[in-house]
């Protein structure tokens, strides 16, 4: 699967660990930055990564900042992006089953790498259930 990864400076180290993990799981990783721990603005990077999904270059994305809050808000500004901010396996599971999340947002100051890897494994294997959830998803992309 093509997966775009992105972070701000606070999420840089976790993003780098996740890139290595995803590549070891045979996923193609598209890195939209940032490329250092130097202070930067998360909306710039979230926007670039969201466009990679919307343009069809990636099927899903993993977006990281210090708490995951800012970068998930920036991602969700894009019609067609469904970013779920998660810090536990249960939320990850339901983000796919019920919300068809195409972006997993995480907080680097909240989620340690072992948990992040387990969350990603779960998120990548889960499928959207459709049904009653499809009706709700269709209501998200309003003009």
């Amino acid at each position: 699967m093509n997966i775009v990864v992105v972070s701000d400076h606070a999420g840089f180290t976790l993003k780098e660990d996740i890139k290595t993990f995803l590549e070891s799981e045979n996923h193609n990783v598209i890195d939209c930055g940032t490329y250092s721990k130097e202070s930067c603005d998360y909306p710039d990077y979230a926007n670039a990564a969201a466009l990679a999904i919307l343009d069809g270059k990636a099927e899903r994305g993993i977006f990281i900042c210090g708490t995951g809050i800012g970068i998930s808000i920036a991602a969700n500004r894009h019609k067609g992006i469904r970013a779920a901010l998660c810090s536990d396996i249960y939320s990850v599971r339901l983000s796919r089953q019920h919300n068809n999340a195409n972006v997993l947002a995480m907080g680097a100051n909240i989620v340690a790498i072992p948990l992040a890897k387990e969350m990603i494994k779960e998120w990548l294997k889960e499928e959207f259930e459709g049904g009653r959830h499809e009706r709700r998803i269709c209501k998200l992309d309003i003009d």
Side-chain angles (χ1 to χ4, degrees), residues 21-49:
F21 170 70
L22 289 170
E23 289 166 347
S24 76
E25 296 283 313
N26 298 312
H27 294 286
N28 181 45
V29 177
I30 302 165
D31 186 346
C32 284
T34 191
Y35 305 105
S36 75
K37 293 181 182 179
E38 185 176 330
S39 183
C40 64
D41 298 331
Y42 61 82
D44 298 334
Y45 297 97
N47 292 338

Side-chain angles (χ1 to χ4, degrees), residues 82 97-100 128-142:
R82 293 171 307 281
Q97 293 174 355
H98 293 189
N99 307 114
N100 200 16
F128 179 51
E129 291 178 356
R132 71 184 191 277
H133 305 295
E134 182 70 34
R135 179 180 75 245
R136 296 166 184 155
I137 296 303
C138 290
K139 292 180 179 185
L140 293 175
D141 289 333
I142 56 176

Side-chain angles (χ1 to χ4, degrees), residues 13-130:
T13 300
L14 181 58
K15 177 187 66 106
E16 293 299 305
D17 288 338
I18 286 171
K19 273 176 40 180
T20 301
F21 170 70
L22 289 170
E23 289 166 347
S24 76
E25 296 283 313
N26 298 312
H27 294 286
N28 181 45
V29 177
I30 302 165
D31 186 346
C32 284
T34 191
Y35 305 105
S36 75
K37 293 181 182 179
E38 185 176 330
S39 183
C40 64
D41 298 331
Y42 61 82
D44 298 334
Y45 297 97
N47 292 338
L51 291 175
I53 295 169
L54 295 173
D55 291 343
K57 295 175 185 166
E59 289 89 354
R60 297 196 199 164
I62 299 172
F63 291 30
I64 307 162
C65 68
T67 62
I69 297 168
I71 207 156
S72 65
I73 291 170
N76 280 319
R77 301 283 299 164
H78 293 269
K79 184 176 182 177
I81 296 295
R82 293 171 307 281
L85 173 56
C86 299
S87 58
D88 62 85
I89 300 296
Y90 182 71
S91 297
V92 165
R93 187 175 300 127
L94 292 183
S95 79
R96 288 289 306 136
Q97 293 174 355
H98 293 189
N99 307 114
N100 200 16
N102 54 6
V103 169
L104 173 59
M106 288 189 266
N109 297 335
I110 297 167
V111 177
I113 187 64
L115 177 57
K117 289 178 183 179
E118 290 305 312
M119 289 169 53
I120 291 167
K121 283 182 191 177
E122 188 73 20
W123 188 68
L124 292 173
K125 80 173 187 175
E126 289 297 331
E127 298 291 331
F128 179 51
E129 291 178 356

